Amino acid sequence: MRTWDSSADIVVVGYGGAGVAAALAARESGADVLALDRFLGGGATALSGGIVYAGGGTWVQRAAGVQDDIENMLAYLRAEVGDAVSEQTLRRFCEGSAAMIDWLSSHGVPFQPSLCPYKTSYPTDDHYLYYSGSENSGGFRDLAKPAQRGHRAHGRGVSGKKLFGPLAKSAARHGVRVQTGTRATELVIEDGRVVGVRAISLADAPVKVRRRFATLARISAKPGVYHPGLRNAVGKLMDRIEARYGRTVRIQARSGVILTTGGFIANGAMVGQHAPDYPWAEGLPLGTAGDDGSGIAMAQAAGAATGKMDALSTWRFIAPPSAFFGSIAVDANGQRMIDESRYGAAMGAAIATAPGNRAWLLVDAELLAESQRQLGGQSVWFQRMQTERLMRVKRVTGHTLEDVAARAGIEPAALRKTVDAHNRAIEQHLPDPMGKPADIRKPLRTGPYVLLDISFKARLTYPMPMLTLGGLLVDEDTGAVLTTDGGTIPGLFAAGRAAVGVCSNSYVSGLSLADCVFSGRRAGAHSVQVNSTL
Protein backbone atom coordinates (compact mmCIF):
# COMPACT_ATOMS: atom_id res chain seq x y z
CA MET A 1 0.00 0.00 0.00
CA ARG A 2 1.20 3.49 -0.86
CA THR A 3 2.23 5.77 1.94
CA TRP A 4 0.39 8.98 2.64
CA ASP A 5 1.46 12.13 0.79
CA SER A 6 0.23 14.36 3.62
CA SER A 7 -1.86 14.04 6.76
CA ALA A 8 -3.90 15.88 9.37
CA ASP A 9 -6.21 15.03 12.22
CA ILE A 10 -9.19 16.49 10.32
CA VAL A 11 -9.43 16.85 6.54
CA VAL A 12 -12.13 19.25 5.38
CA VAL A 13 -13.18 18.75 1.76
CA GLY A 14 -14.58 21.97 0.28
CA TYR A 15 -13.68 25.34 1.76
CA GLY A 16 -16.74 27.57 1.66
CA GLY A 17 -18.89 28.74 4.56
CA ALA A 18 -19.49 25.32 6.06
CA GLY A 19 -15.89 24.28 5.44
CA VAL A 20 -14.30 27.24 7.18
CA ALA A 21 -16.73 26.93 10.11
CA ALA A 22 -15.89 23.23 10.44
CA ALA A 23 -12.16 23.90 10.19
CA LEU A 24 -12.27 26.62 12.85
CA ALA A 25 -14.36 24.49 15.21
CA ALA A 26 -12.02 21.52 14.83
CA ARG A 27 -9.01 23.74 15.35
CA GLU A 28 -10.58 25.27 18.45
CA SER A 29 -10.89 21.71 19.75
CA GLY A 30 -7.16 21.20 19.34
CA ALA A 31 -7.05 19.30 16.05
CA ASP A 32 -4.53 19.70 13.26
CA VAL A 33 -6.74 20.70 10.28
CA LEU A 34 -6.15 20.58 6.54
CA ALA A 35 -8.79 22.01 4.21
CA LEU A 36 -8.92 21.11 0.52
CA ASP A 37 -10.59 23.04 -2.28
CA ARG A 38 -10.55 22.40 -6.00
CA PHE A 39 -10.71 26.12 -6.73
CA LEU A 40 -9.62 29.08 -4.59
CA GLY A 41 -11.85 28.64 -1.55
CA GLY A 42 -14.94 30.63 -0.61
CA GLY A 43 -17.45 28.54 -2.53
CA ALA A 44 -20.97 29.86 -2.93
CA THR A 45 -20.68 31.67 0.42
CA ALA A 46 -18.17 34.20 -0.92
CA LEU A 47 -20.48 34.93 -3.88
CA SER A 48 -23.61 35.20 -1.76
CA GLY A 49 -25.36 38.17 -0.22
CA GLY A 50 -23.69 37.40 3.11
CA ILE A 51 -26.98 37.06 5.01
CA VAL A 52 -26.99 35.04 8.24
CA TYR A 53 -30.41 34.19 9.65
CA ALA A 54 -30.21 34.66 13.42
CA GLY A 55 -32.48 35.73 16.22
CA GLY A 56 -33.54 35.13 19.78
CA GLY A 57 -31.95 38.41 20.86
CA THR A 58 -28.62 38.76 19.07
CA TRP A 59 -26.44 41.73 19.96
CA VAL A 60 -27.28 43.19 16.55
CA GLN A 61 -31.02 42.93 17.19
CA ARG A 62 -30.68 44.45 20.65
CA ALA A 63 -28.62 47.36 19.31
CA ALA A 64 -31.25 47.98 16.64
CA GLY A 65 -34.10 47.90 19.16
CA VAL A 66 -35.59 44.67 17.78
CA GLN A 67 -37.35 42.56 20.40
CA ASP A 68 -37.03 38.82 19.83
CA ASP A 69 -36.62 35.68 21.90
CA ILE A 70 -35.89 32.02 21.34
CA GLU A 71 -39.51 30.83 21.55
CA ASN A 72 -40.63 33.49 19.09
CA MET A 73 -37.92 32.53 16.60
CA LEU A 74 -38.72 28.86 17.06
CA ALA A 75 -42.44 29.41 16.44
CA TYR A 76 -41.75 31.02 13.08
CA LEU A 77 -39.08 28.57 11.95
CA ARG A 78 -41.13 25.57 13.01
CA ALA A 79 -43.69 26.52 10.36
CA GLU A 80 -41.06 27.42 7.79
CA VAL A 81 -38.69 24.47 8.29
CA GLY A 82 -41.23 21.67 8.76
CA ASP A 83 -39.71 18.21 9.11
CA ALA A 84 -36.32 19.04 7.56
CA VAL A 85 -34.78 18.49 11.01
CA SER A 86 -36.14 17.31 14.33
CA GLU A 87 -37.80 19.60 16.85
CA GLN A 88 -34.81 19.12 19.13
CA THR A 89 -32.33 20.19 16.45
CA LEU A 90 -34.40 23.20 15.47
CA ARG A 91 -34.61 24.27 19.09
CA ARG A 92 -30.85 23.85 19.47
CA PHE A 93 -30.38 25.96 16.34
CA CYS A 94 -32.54 28.73 17.80
CA GLU A 95 -31.07 28.53 21.28
CA GLY A 96 -27.56 28.90 19.90
CA SER A 97 -28.41 31.59 17.38
CA ALA A 98 -27.33 34.64 19.40
CA ALA A 99 -24.12 32.88 20.42
CA MET A 100 -23.46 32.05 16.77
CA ILE A 101 -23.45 35.77 15.91
CA ASP A 102 -21.10 36.33 18.86
CA TRP A 103 -18.83 33.58 17.51
CA LEU A 104 -18.82 35.04 14.01
CA SER A 105 -18.11 38.50 15.43
CA SER A 106 -15.22 37.13 17.48
CA HIS A 107 -13.66 35.85 14.26
CA GLY A 108 -13.91 39.23 12.60
CA VAL A 109 -17.19 39.07 10.69
CA PRO A 110 -18.61 42.61 10.75
CA PHE A 111 -22.28 43.19 11.49
CA GLN A 112 -24.13 46.47 11.86
CA PRO A 113 -27.49 47.21 13.53
CA SER A 114 -28.92 49.50 10.85
CA LEU A 115 -32.55 48.48 10.45
CA CYS A 116 -34.17 48.40 7.00
CA PRO A 117 -37.48 50.31 7.17
CA TYR A 118 -39.16 48.47 4.29
CA LYS A 119 -39.54 44.86 3.17
CA THR A 120 -37.12 43.85 0.44
CA SER A 121 -35.29 40.89 -1.04
CA TYR A 122 -31.91 42.46 -0.25
CA PRO A 123 -31.21 45.79 1.45
CA THR A 124 -29.12 48.63 0.11
CA ASP A 125 -25.76 49.57 1.63
CA ASP A 126 -27.63 51.76 4.13
CA HIS A 127 -29.20 48.79 5.93
CA TYR A 128 -27.85 45.56 7.43
CA LEU A 129 -30.71 44.05 9.46
CA TYR A 130 -34.03 43.25 7.78
CA TYR A 131 -36.97 40.88 7.32
CA SER A 132 -35.22 38.23 5.23
CA GLY A 133 -38.06 35.71 5.23
CA SER A 134 -41.86 35.64 5.47
CA GLU A 135 -41.98 36.75 9.11
CA ASN A 136 -44.24 39.70 8.31
CA SER A 137 -46.48 37.88 5.83
CA GLY A 138 -49.96 36.45 6.25
CA GLY A 139 -50.30 33.43 8.50
CA PHE A 140 -46.84 33.76 9.98
CA ARG A 141 -47.82 36.91 11.89
CA ASP A 142 -50.36 34.79 13.73
CA LEU A 143 -47.70 32.29 14.81
CA ALA A 144 -44.98 34.65 16.00
CA LYS A 145 -44.28 38.31 16.46
CA PRO A 146 -42.42 39.48 13.33
CA ALA A 147 -38.75 40.22 13.99
CA GLN A 148 -35.94 41.20 11.66
CA ARG A 149 -33.44 38.31 11.60
CA GLY A 150 -31.56 38.80 8.35
CA HIS A 151 -28.05 39.76 9.55
CA ARG A 152 -26.12 41.06 6.55
CA ALA A 153 -22.35 41.10 6.87
CA HIS A 154 -21.29 44.74 6.74
CA GLY A 155 -19.77 45.66 3.41
CA ARG A 156 -20.68 47.41 0.22
CA GLY A 157 -22.31 45.50 -2.61
CA VAL A 158 -23.04 41.80 -2.28
CA SER A 159 -21.30 41.09 1.00
CA GLY A 160 -20.70 37.34 1.11
CA LYS A 161 -16.99 38.05 0.83
CA LYS A 162 -17.28 39.97 4.12
CA LEU A 163 -18.50 36.79 5.75
CA PHE A 164 -16.07 34.26 4.29
CA GLY A 165 -13.01 36.53 4.16
CA PRO A 166 -12.71 37.29 7.88
CA LEU A 167 -13.41 33.64 8.78
CA ALA A 168 -10.70 32.44 6.39
CA LYS A 169 -8.22 34.95 7.82
CA SER A 170 -9.07 33.88 11.35
CA ALA A 171 -8.67 30.23 10.40
CA ALA A 172 -5.23 30.96 8.96
CA ARG A 173 -4.21 32.79 12.14
CA HIS A 174 -5.38 29.80 14.17
CA GLY A 175 -3.26 27.40 12.13
CA VAL A 176 -5.73 25.87 9.67
CA ARG A 177 -3.83 24.73 6.60
CA VAL A 178 -5.50 25.21 3.21
CA GLN A 179 -4.58 23.46 -0.03
CA THR A 180 -6.29 24.89 -3.10
CA GLY A 181 -6.12 23.45 -6.60
CA THR A 182 -6.88 20.07 -5.06
CA ARG A 183 -9.92 18.04 -6.11
CA ALA A 184 -10.94 15.17 -3.85
CA THR A 185 -12.06 12.19 -5.91
CA GLU A 186 -12.53 9.29 -3.49
CA LEU A 187 -12.73 8.43 0.18
CA VAL A 188 -10.06 6.07 1.48
CA ILE A 189 -11.59 3.40 3.71
CA GLU A 190 -9.71 0.89 5.82
CA ASP A 191 -11.40 -1.65 8.08
CA GLY A 192 -14.75 0.05 7.55
CA ARG A 193 -13.51 3.48 8.61
CA VAL A 194 -12.83 6.58 6.49
CA VAL A 195 -9.16 7.33 7.00
CA GLY A 196 -8.46 9.83 4.24
CA VAL A 197 -9.11 10.93 0.68
CA ARG A 198 -7.61 10.50 -2.75
CA ALA A 199 -7.30 13.72 -4.70
CA ILE A 200 -5.92 15.30 -7.84
CA SER A 201 -3.51 18.06 -6.87
CA LEU A 202 -1.87 20.82 -8.88
CA ALA A 203 0.60 21.57 -6.09
CA ASP A 204 3.53 20.34 -8.19
CA ALA A 205 2.40 21.99 -11.45
CA PRO A 206 4.49 24.86 -12.88
CA VAL A 207 3.72 28.24 -11.35
CA LYS A 208 2.34 29.63 -14.60
CA VAL A 209 -0.05 26.67 -14.87
CA ARG A 210 -1.32 27.19 -11.35
CA ARG A 211 -1.79 30.90 -12.04
CA ARG A 212 -3.77 30.11 -15.18
CA PHE A 213 -5.92 27.66 -13.27
CA ALA A 214 -6.57 30.31 -10.61
CA THR A 215 -7.58 32.83 -13.28
CA LEU A 216 -9.99 30.34 -14.80
CA ALA A 217 -11.40 29.62 -11.36
CA ARG A 218 -12.17 33.33 -10.86
CA ILE A 219 -13.90 33.50 -14.26
CA SER A 220 -15.89 30.38 -13.45
CA ALA A 221 -17.11 31.89 -10.18
CA LYS A 222 -19.05 35.15 -10.43
CA PRO A 223 -19.31 35.57 -14.24
CA GLY A 224 -20.13 31.88 -14.47
CA VAL A 225 -23.20 32.30 -12.27
CA TYR A 226 -24.91 34.39 -14.95
CA HIS A 227 -23.42 32.62 -17.97
CA PRO A 228 -23.61 28.81 -17.55
CA GLY A 229 -22.24 28.38 -21.07
CA LEU A 230 -19.14 30.35 -20.13
CA ARG A 231 -18.78 28.30 -16.95
CA ASN A 232 -18.98 25.04 -18.91
CA ALA A 233 -16.36 26.20 -21.40
CA VAL A 234 -14.02 27.34 -18.61
CA GLY A 235 -14.66 24.07 -16.78
CA LYS A 236 -13.43 22.06 -19.75
CA LEU A 237 -10.21 24.05 -19.79
CA MET A 238 -9.73 23.41 -16.09
CA ASP A 239 -10.39 19.69 -16.60
CA ARG A 240 -7.62 19.60 -19.22
CA ILE A 241 -5.17 21.31 -16.90
CA GLU A 242 -5.91 18.81 -14.14
CA ALA A 243 -5.59 15.89 -16.55
CA ARG A 244 -2.21 17.08 -17.80
CA TYR A 245 -0.59 18.51 -14.70
CA GLY A 246 -2.51 17.02 -11.79
CA ARG A 247 -0.95 14.38 -9.54
CA THR A 248 -2.93 11.79 -7.62
CA VAL A 249 -2.24 12.09 -3.89
CA ARG A 250 -3.42 10.30 -0.75
CA ILE A 251 -4.19 12.49 2.21
CA GLN A 252 -4.58 10.88 5.61
CA ALA A 253 -7.28 11.97 8.08
CA ARG A 254 -6.26 10.57 11.45
CA SER A 255 -9.55 11.58 13.08
CA GLY A 256 -12.09 12.25 10.36
CA VAL A 257 -13.08 13.67 6.99
CA ILE A 258 -15.70 16.43 6.82
CA LEU A 259 -17.49 16.87 3.49
CA THR A 260 -18.53 20.49 2.91
CA THR A 261 -18.64 20.40 -0.88
CA GLY A 262 -21.97 22.15 -1.40
CA GLY A 263 -25.03 20.98 -3.29
CA PHE A 264 -25.40 19.75 -6.88
CA ILE A 265 -27.13 22.53 -8.82
CA ALA A 266 -24.16 22.72 -11.22
CA ASN A 267 -24.70 19.07 -12.21
CA GLY A 268 -27.65 19.13 -14.60
CA ALA A 269 -27.73 15.37 -14.99
CA MET A 270 -27.89 14.87 -11.23
CA VAL A 271 -30.64 17.47 -10.82
CA GLY A 272 -32.62 15.87 -13.64
CA GLN A 273 -32.24 12.46 -12.04
CA HIS A 274 -33.63 13.54 -8.69
CA ALA A 275 -36.14 16.18 -9.80
CA PRO A 276 -37.23 15.03 -13.28
CA ASP A 277 -40.55 16.88 -13.20
CA TYR A 278 -39.14 20.19 -11.97
CA PRO A 279 -38.52 22.93 -14.59
CA TRP A 280 -34.92 23.28 -13.44
CA ALA A 281 -33.55 23.73 -16.96
CA GLU A 282 -35.34 27.08 -17.23
CA GLY A 283 -33.75 28.47 -14.07
CA LEU A 284 -30.38 30.02 -13.33
CA PRO A 285 -28.10 27.62 -11.38
CA LEU A 286 -27.00 29.51 -8.28
CA GLY A 287 -23.66 28.46 -6.87
CA THR A 288 -20.23 27.61 -8.18
CA ALA A 289 -18.92 24.90 -10.48
CA GLY A 290 -17.98 23.10 -7.27
CA ASP A 291 -21.67 22.55 -6.52
CA ASP A 292 -21.56 19.42 -8.67
CA GLY A 293 -22.58 16.81 -6.09
CA SER A 294 -19.11 15.24 -6.01
CA GLY A 295 -18.95 15.09 -2.22
CA ILE A 296 -22.39 13.51 -2.04
CA ALA A 297 -21.39 10.94 -4.67
CA MET A 298 -18.17 10.07 -2.83
CA ALA A 299 -20.11 9.40 0.35
CA GLN A 300 -22.76 7.38 -1.47
CA ALA A 301 -20.02 5.15 -2.83
CA ALA A 302 -19.15 4.43 0.81
CA GLY A 303 -22.73 3.49 1.67
CA ALA A 304 -24.12 6.89 2.70
CA ALA A 305 -27.82 7.68 2.71
CA THR A 306 -29.32 10.81 1.18
CA GLY A 307 -32.52 12.78 1.69
CA LYS A 308 -34.52 15.66 0.22
CA MET A 309 -32.68 15.20 -3.09
CA ASP A 310 -35.71 16.39 -5.04
CA ALA A 311 -35.92 19.64 -3.08
CA LEU A 312 -35.00 22.75 -5.06
CA SER A 313 -35.36 26.35 -4.00
CA THR A 314 -36.40 28.66 -6.82
CA TRP A 315 -36.44 32.40 -6.25
CA ARG A 316 -38.74 34.95 -7.82
CA PHE A 317 -38.27 38.18 -5.91
CA ILE A 318 -40.69 40.98 -6.74
CA ALA A 319 -39.21 43.63 -4.46
CA PRO A 320 -37.70 46.12 -4.52
CA PRO A 321 -39.76 48.14 -5.04
CA SER A 322 -41.74 47.30 -1.91
CA ALA A 323 -44.90 48.69 -3.55
CA PHE A 324 -45.03 45.53 -5.65
CA PHE A 325 -46.16 43.64 -2.55
CA GLY A 326 -49.50 45.36 -3.16
CA SER A 327 -49.83 43.72 -6.59
CA ILE A 328 -51.47 40.37 -7.23
CA ALA A 329 -49.74 37.42 -8.87
CA VAL A 330 -51.84 35.41 -11.32
CA ASP A 331 -51.25 32.31 -13.40
CA ALA A 332 -52.08 31.66 -17.05
CA ASN A 333 -55.70 31.00 -16.07
CA GLY A 334 -56.04 34.33 -14.30
CA GLN A 335 -56.10 32.69 -10.88
CA ARG A 336 -54.40 34.26 -7.87
CA MET A 337 -51.37 32.21 -6.77
CA ILE A 338 -50.02 33.30 -3.39
CA ASP A 339 -49.78 35.99 -0.73
CA GLU A 340 -47.45 38.26 -2.68
CA SER A 341 -45.68 39.47 0.46
CA ARG A 342 -44.16 36.01 0.99
CA TYR A 343 -40.44 35.38 0.57
CA GLY A 344 -39.25 34.96 -3.03
CA ALA A 345 -38.70 31.21 -2.69
CA ALA A 346 -42.39 30.76 -1.89
CA MET A 347 -43.28 32.77 -4.99
CA GLY A 348 -40.85 30.68 -7.03
CA ALA A 349 -42.39 27.46 -5.74
CA ALA A 350 -45.84 28.69 -6.73
CA ILE A 351 -44.65 29.50 -10.26
CA ALA A 352 -42.94 26.11 -10.53
CA THR A 353 -46.32 24.41 -10.07
CA ALA A 354 -48.34 26.90 -12.16
CA PRO A 355 -49.66 25.89 -15.61
CA GLY A 356 -46.77 26.16 -18.04
CA ASN A 357 -44.72 27.82 -15.28
CA ARG A 358 -46.26 31.11 -16.39
CA ALA A 359 -47.09 33.95 -14.02
CA TRP A 360 -47.74 37.68 -14.06
CA LEU A 361 -47.85 40.51 -11.56
CA LEU A 362 -50.88 42.75 -12.06
CA VAL A 363 -50.45 46.41 -11.12
CA ASP A 364 -52.61 49.41 -11.83
CA ALA A 365 -51.47 52.91 -12.77
CA GLU A 366 -51.20 54.11 -9.16
CA LEU A 367 -49.18 51.13 -8.01
CA LEU A 368 -46.88 51.31 -11.03
CA ALA A 369 -46.18 54.99 -10.40
CA GLU A 370 -45.43 54.33 -6.72
CA SER A 371 -43.10 51.50 -7.70
CA GLN A 372 -41.19 53.68 -10.12
CA ARG A 373 -40.73 56.34 -7.43
CA GLN A 374 -39.39 53.79 -4.94
CA LEU A 375 -37.01 51.88 -7.17
CA GLY A 376 -34.00 54.18 -7.07
CA GLY A 377 -33.90 54.52 -3.29
CA GLN A 378 -34.64 50.89 -2.41
CA SER A 379 -32.45 48.94 -4.80
CA VAL A 380 -28.85 48.02 -5.43
CA TRP A 381 -27.57 47.97 -9.00
CA PHE A 382 -28.50 44.41 -9.98
CA GLN A 383 -32.00 44.74 -8.50
CA ARG A 384 -32.56 48.02 -10.32
CA MET A 385 -31.32 46.61 -13.62
CA GLN A 386 -33.59 43.56 -13.45
CA THR A 387 -36.66 45.48 -12.27
CA GLU A 388 -36.28 48.21 -14.87
CA ARG A 389 -36.06 45.56 -17.57
CA LEU A 390 -39.14 43.87 -16.10
CA MET A 391 -41.14 47.11 -16.13
CA ARG A 392 -40.00 48.16 -19.60
CA VAL A 393 -39.67 44.92 -21.55
CA LYS A 394 -41.55 42.14 -19.77
CA ARG A 395 -44.87 44.00 -19.64
CA VAL A 396 -48.26 44.07 -21.28
CA THR A 397 -50.46 47.16 -20.95
CA GLY A 398 -54.20 47.62 -21.39
CA HIS A 399 -56.72 50.34 -20.56
CA THR A 400 -59.05 47.81 -18.92
CA LEU A 401 -58.56 44.50 -17.13
CA GLU A 402 -60.18 42.69 -20.03
CA ASP A 403 -57.88 44.42 -22.49
CA VAL A 404 -54.64 43.64 -20.63
CA ALA A 405 -55.74 40.03 -20.03
CA ALA A 406 -56.46 39.46 -23.72
CA ARG A 407 -53.10 40.95 -24.71
CA ALA A 408 -51.30 38.57 -22.30
CA GLY A 409 -53.29 35.52 -23.37
CA ILE A 410 -55.21 35.25 -20.10
CA GLU A 411 -58.96 34.62 -19.99
CA PRO A 412 -60.41 38.13 -19.42
CA ALA A 413 -63.42 37.00 -17.39
CA ALA A 414 -61.20 34.96 -15.06
CA LEU A 415 -58.86 37.88 -14.38
CA ARG A 416 -61.83 40.18 -13.77
CA LYS A 417 -63.26 37.71 -11.24
CA THR A 418 -59.90 37.45 -9.43
CA VAL A 419 -59.43 41.21 -9.21
CA ASP A 420 -63.03 41.82 -8.11
CA ALA A 421 -62.59 39.31 -5.27
CA HIS A 422 -59.34 41.01 -4.25
CA ASN A 423 -60.88 44.50 -4.26
CA ARG A 424 -64.09 43.39 -2.58
CA ALA A 425 -62.20 41.88 0.35
CA ILE A 426 -60.40 45.19 0.89
CA GLU A 427 -63.54 47.32 0.58
CA GLN A 428 -65.56 45.12 2.94
CA HIS A 429 -62.68 44.62 5.42
CA LEU A 430 -62.69 40.88 4.80
CA PRO A 431 -59.63 38.61 4.99
CA ASP A 432 -57.55 38.47 1.85
CA PRO A 433 -58.31 35.32 -0.21
CA MET A 434 -54.60 34.42 -0.06
CA GLY A 435 -54.00 35.59 3.49
CA LYS A 436 -52.09 38.79 2.70
CA PRO A 437 -52.03 41.16 5.71
CA ALA A 438 -54.47 44.05 5.45
CA ASP A 439 -51.79 46.74 5.77
CA ILE A 440 -50.03 45.45 2.65
CA ARG A 441 -53.08 45.13 0.39
CA LYS A 442 -53.89 47.70 -2.27
CA PRO A 443 -57.06 47.89 -4.39
CA LEU A 444 -56.38 47.65 -8.12
CA ARG A 445 -58.89 49.81 -10.00
CA THR A 446 -57.06 52.60 -11.85
CA GLY A 447 -56.23 52.03 -15.50
CA PRO A 448 -54.19 51.58 -17.49
CA TYR A 449 -53.32 48.15 -16.07
CA VAL A 450 -50.00 46.37 -16.51
CA LEU A 451 -49.17 42.67 -16.38
CA LEU A 452 -45.48 42.03 -15.67
CA ASP A 453 -44.21 38.65 -16.83
CA ILE A 454 -42.51 36.86 -13.91
CA SER A 455 -42.48 33.40 -15.51
CA PHE A 456 -39.57 30.97 -15.47
CA LYS A 457 -38.38 32.11 -18.88
CA ALA A 458 -35.75 34.76 -19.68
CA ARG A 459 -32.68 33.39 -17.87
CA LEU A 460 -30.52 36.42 -18.62
CA THR A 461 -33.07 39.25 -18.75
CA TYR A 462 -35.00 38.31 -15.62
CA PRO A 463 -33.30 35.24 -14.13
CA MET A 464 -34.93 32.69 -11.84
CA PRO A 465 -32.11 31.62 -9.48
CA MET A 466 -32.30 28.13 -8.01
CA LEU A 467 -30.26 25.78 -5.84
CA THR A 468 -30.56 22.29 -4.41
CA LEU A 469 -31.43 21.75 -0.74
CA GLY A 470 -30.97 18.00 -0.25
CA GLY A 471 -27.86 15.97 0.47
CA LEU A 472 -26.37 13.41 2.81
CA LEU A 473 -28.34 12.32 5.86
CA VAL A 474 -26.41 13.02 9.04
CA ASP A 475 -26.75 12.35 12.74
CA GLU A 476 -28.26 15.61 13.95
CA ASP A 477 -26.30 15.53 17.19
CA THR A 478 -22.86 15.09 15.64
CA GLY A 479 -22.96 15.61 11.87
CA ALA A 480 -21.75 12.04 11.27
CA VAL A 481 -22.90 10.70 7.90
CA LEU A 482 -25.60 8.03 8.12
CA THR A 483 -25.67 4.80 6.18
CA THR A 484 -28.62 3.46 4.25
CA ASP A 485 -29.38 1.07 7.12
CA GLY A 486 -29.40 3.82 9.76
CA GLY A 487 -25.90 3.45 11.16
CA THR A 488 -23.03 5.90 10.79
CA ILE A 489 -19.91 5.76 8.64
CA PRO A 490 -16.98 5.92 11.07
CA GLY A 491 -14.71 8.87 10.39
CA LEU A 492 -17.07 10.67 7.98
CA PHE A 493 -19.01 13.88 8.65
CA ALA A 494 -20.87 16.36 6.45
CA ALA A 495 -22.18 19.90 6.74
CA GLY A 496 -23.67 22.72 4.70
CA ARG A 497 -25.54 21.99 1.49
CA ALA A 498 -23.76 18.67 1.09
CA ALA A 499 -26.04 17.51 3.93
CA VAL A 500 -29.69 17.69 4.83
CA GLY A 501 -30.11 20.58 7.24
CA VAL A 502 -32.34 23.29 8.63
CA CYS A 503 -33.19 24.78 5.22
CA SER A 504 -33.71 21.54 3.27
CA ASN A 505 -37.49 21.99 3.06
CA SER A 506 -37.92 25.72 2.81
CA TYR A 507 -35.46 28.49 2.11
CA VAL A 508 -35.39 32.08 3.34
CA SER A 509 -32.43 34.42 2.97
CA GLY A 510 -29.70 33.68 5.47
CA LEU A 511 -30.99 30.29 6.56
CA SER A 512 -28.50 28.35 4.44
CA LEU A 513 -25.47 30.35 5.61
CA ALA A 514 -26.68 30.08 9.21
CA ASP A 515 -27.04 26.33 8.75
CA CYS A 516 -23.55 26.17 7.20
CA VAL A 517 -22.12 27.74 10.35
CA PHE A 518 -24.33 25.69 12.68
CA SER A 519 -23.70 22.33 10.99
CA GLY A 520 -20.07 23.11 10.18
CA ARG A 521 -19.23 23.89 13.80
CA ARG A 522 -21.11 20.78 14.89
CA ALA A 523 -19.19 18.51 12.53
CA GLY A 524 -15.86 20.15 13.33
CA ALA A 525 -16.26 19.80 17.08
CA HIS A 526 -17.64 16.26 17.08
CA SER A 527 -15.12 14.89 14.58
CA VAL A 528 -12.43 15.69 17.15
CA GLN A 529 -14.47 14.44 20.09
CA VAL A 530 -15.03 11.11 18.35
CA ASN A 531 -11.30 10.69 17.86
CA SER A 532 -10.61 11.36 21.54
CA THR A 533 -12.79 8.40 22.53
CA LEU A 534 -11.07 5.85 20.29
Side-chain angles (χ1 to χ4, degrees):
M1 180 180 294
R2 284 186 55 192
T3 58
W4 300 104
D5 294 279
S6 59
S7 65
D9 295 330
I10 303 295
V11 174
V12 177
V13 181
Y15 202 53
V20 70
L24 271 167
R27 191 75 188 100
E28 289 171 343
S29 297
D32 173 34
V33 182
L34 173 63
L36 311 176
D37 197 276
R38 184 191 182 191
F39 303 109
L40 303 176
T45 296
L47 302 180
S48 74
I51 308 298
V52 179
Y53 195 91
T58 69
W59 74 259
V60 183
Q61 287 179 312
R62 296 195 307 272
V66 174
Q67 295 184 352
D68 195 17
D69 59 51
I70 293 168
E71 295 301 325
N72 193 53
M73 180 184 183
L74 180 62
Y76 167 70
L77 283 183
R78 186 182 289 119
E80 194 75 76
V81 169
D83 67 351
V85 294
S86 68
E87 173 75 11
Q88 294 78 11
T89 298
L90 187 59
R91 175 172 287 279
R92 190 162 58 246
F93 175 80
C94 294
E95 289 176 344
S97 186
M100 176 182 66
I101 293 296
D102 293 340
W103 184 83
L104 290 170
S105 298
S106 73
H107 285 287
V109 178
F111 293 106
Q112 188 189 70
S114 47
L115 205 60
C116 188
Y118 50 85
K119 184 174 172 63
T120 182
S121 60
Y122 191 76
T124 67
D125 291 338
D126 297 321
H127 309 294
Y128 289 88
L129 182 64
Y130 73 118
Y131 289 116
S132 65
S134 295
E135 301 89 352
N136 210 22
S137 299
F140 293 101
R141 290 189 185 186
D142 301 328
L143 298 174
K145 179 182 177 181
Q148 293 91 337
R149 302 192 186 99
H151 291 61
R152 177 185 169 195
H154 185 239
R156 297 186 62 81
V158 181
S159 52
K161 56 187 176 294
K162 293 297 184 179
L163 179 67
F164 177 79
L167 290 177
K169 289 180 181 178
S170 182
R173 288 195 302 270
H174 284 79
V176 172
R177 294 178 288 137
V178 180
Q179 187 172 318
T180 58
T182 302
R183 175 165 60 93
T185 58
E186 185 181 1
L187 296 171
V188 178
I189 302 174
E190 295 180 0
D191 299 323
R193 179 181 179 83
V194 174
V195 295
V197 298
R198 287 188 180 88
I200 303 297
S201 174
L202 293 174
D204 296 332
V207 172
K208 65 178 182 180
V209 171
R210 284 185 277 127
R211 286 176 177 170
R212 186 185 180 204
F213 190 85
T215 298
L216 292 172
R218 293 186 185 95
I219 296 172
S220 174
K222 195 67 172 183
V225 169
Y226 296 102
H227 297 282
L230 173 65
R231 172 178 288 171
N232 291 337
V234 170
K236 291 178 181 178
L237 294 175
M238 298 175 80
D239 289 343
R240 292 174 190 167
I241 291 175
E242 286 180 330
R244 181 174 178 181
Y245 296 100
R247 181 172 70 90
T248 299
V249 295
R250 283 167 41 96
I251 302 170
Q252 182 185 31
R254 292 183 291 267
S255 179
V257 170
I258 306 175
L259 297 174
T260 54
T261 49
F264 56 96
I265 195 62
N267 187 333
M270 194 169 177
V271 176
Q273 174 190 350
H274 293 286
D277 299 325
Y278 200 91
W280 57 269
E282 296 179 0
L284 184 72
L286 190 64
T288 72
D291 291 298
D292 60 359
S294 57
I296 297 172
M298 281 192 294
Q300 284 182 295
T306 59
K308 309 289 185 182
M309 295 291 282
D310 60 346
L312 275 72
S313 183
T314 307
W315 306 347
R316 175 57 83 216
F317 294 116
I318 64 172
S322 59
F324 273 166
F325 289 126
S327 67
I328 61 173
V330 297
D331 62 19
N333 297 323
Q335 302 296 315
R336 185 103 173 268
M337 301 169 60
I338 193 173
D339 167 7
E340 293 79 9
S341 70
R342 289 283 305 278
Y343 178 71
M347 177 70 78
I351 299 173
T353 58
N357 311 126
R358 303 303 307 277
W360 290 263
L361 280 186
L362 176 68
V363 299
D364 68 357
E366 291 184 5
L367 198 57
L368 183 63
E370 183 182 1
S371 299
Q372 290 171 330
R373 287 193 298 269
Q374 290 179 344
L375 186 58
Q378 291 188 358
S379 60
V380 294
W381 69 269
F382 63 89
Q383 294 169 321
R384 184 164 53 253
M385 179 182 68
Q386 292 177 8
T387 304
E388 285 181 347
R389 180 173 288 274
L390 174 68
M391 291 196 290
R392 294 176 182 178
V393 179
K394 308 290 290 181
R395 63 182 284 174
V396 176
T397 304
H399 289 290
T400 67
L401 287 172
E402 289 75 12
D403 185 23
V404 75
R407 290 172 182 268
I410 297 173
E411 172 57 42
L415 183 63
R416 167 62 71 179
K417 183 178 180 180
T418 296
V419 175
D420 286 348
H422 167 76
N423 290 343
R424 188 182 312 113
I426 296 174
E427 293 162 2
Q428 299 179 6
H429 304 287
L430 299 174
D432 181 71
M434 289 291 155
K436 184 187 291 186
D439 58 302
I440 301 177
R441 295 187 293 177
K442 299 286 185 181
L444 303 174
R445 52 195 174 201
T446 306
Y449 297 91
V450 175
L451 282 168
L452 302 172
D453 190 346
I454 57 171
S455 305
F456 259 71
K457 305 292 185 180
R459 172 178 282 182
L460 293 180
T461 57
Y462 194 53
M464 179 80 86
M466 60 176 60
L467 72 162
T468 57
L469 301 179
L472 300 168
L473 290 176
V474 297
D475 182 299
E476 293 183 14
D477 291 329
T478 65
V481 174
L482 299 179
T483 62
T484 53
D485 61 5
T488 60
I489 300 177
L492 186 62
F493 299 80
R497 297 287 59 76
V500 171
V502 172
C503 66
S504 289
N505 270 342
S506 179
Y507 186 96
V508 300
S509 283
L511 198 56
S512 181
L513 289 184
D515 184 52
C516 284
V517 177
F518 171 76
S519 62
R521 294 176 69 196
R522 176 181 65 191
H526 284 280
S527 63
V528 179
Q529 291 177 15
V530 168
N531 182 64
S532 66
T533 65
L534 294 179

